[in-house]
Amino acid sequence: MPNISRMLAASSENMEGFGATDSSSEYPNVPKPHIWLGVKEGLTQAKQAIEHKNLTLAEEVLREVIEFAPAEPEAWHILAAILNRKGAIEEAKVCLKRRLTIHKTNIQLQSELPVSKRVAKLLWAQHENEAALDMLATLLLHQPDDAELLALQQTWVLS
């Protein structure tokens, strides 16, 4: 029986039109295998990458933010600036139009969202602490004696 690993290695060499690498940028619809940290953390990482003049990393992080939060106008705005600086003028214009559309329709992630313990916990896990505490406060207004909510409040406020 032929060696499978040699056959696979040979089959990946010299494949015209097919990259042998498994890059997520080549396959934009494939989910990312690492942990998503949230919009706020993603924007912070992108800004840090820009400060270190690493536009490629900043672009990757912003595209990930947009993948998970397409209604985040700041991500679109920063991505437009990066693309413009890199010379991708047409794509930068598309990003700016998207940002303007979001702004015009006044989409705000914190307004009109259903309030729940699960969403509050998710926001906290994504380092969106202020939003999580706001949601927790809303929940406590409706259920002031809920032991789990009170425990969350005590844990989060002390953090």
Side-chain angles (χ1 to χ4, degrees):
M1 179 184 293
N3 186 327
I4 301 278
S5 59
R6 277 190 287 173
M7 288 174 51
L8 290 173
S11 69
S12 65
E13 294 174 7
N14 300 323
M15 293 181 68
E16 294 180 24
F18 296 100
T21 62
D22 188 29
S23 170
S24 62
S25 62
E26 292 175 4
Y27 308 101
N29 295 328
V30 175
K32 308 287 187 287
H34 50 82
I35 296 172
W36 170 242
L37 297 177
V39 172
K40 186 176 181 180
E41 182 66 25
L43 289 173
T44 300
Q45 287 179 1
K47 290 173 185 177
Q48 288 173 347
I50 291 168
E51 287 176 10
H52 291 98
K53 298 183 181 0
N54 189 344
L55 297 183
T56 302
L57 176 61
E59 180 182 351
E60 289 174 13
V61 170
L62 289 168
R63 289 188 187 279
E64 187 172 288
V65 168
I66 289 168
E67 178 181 344
F68 286 94
E72 178 54 52
E74 186 177 6
W76 287 104
H77 192 129
I78 298 170
L79 181 58
I82 290 171
L83 293 170
N84 187 46
R85 191 175 295 170
K86 291 175 94 176
I89 307 296
E90 292 305 312
E91 190 177 1
K93 287 179 183 178
V94 170
C95 291
L96 276 179
K97 287 178 183 175
R98 182 71 179 262
R99 187 241 182 253
L100 290 171
T101 301
I102 292 168
H103 185 71
K104 284 180 184 175
T105 56
N106 199 22
I107 295 176
Q108 295 180 1
L109 295 177
Q110 273 68 31
S111 68
E112 304 301 321
L113 280 178
V115 177
S116 73
K117 290 178 198 176
R118 180 176 284 171
V119 174
K121 289 176 182 179
L122 177 63
L123 287 170
W124 187 264
Q126 293 177 340
H127 305 287
E128 303 281 344
N129 297 356
E130 186 176 328
L133 287 170
D134 288 345
M135 189 170 290
L136 183 61
T138 303
L139 288 166
L140 281 167
L141 284 174
H142 299 288
Q143 301 169 332
D145 298 325
D146 186 306
E148 184 180 3
L149 293 176
L150 292 169
L152 285 173
Q153 182 185 39
Q154 185 175 12
T155 303
W156 292 354
V157 170
L158 295 176
S159 298

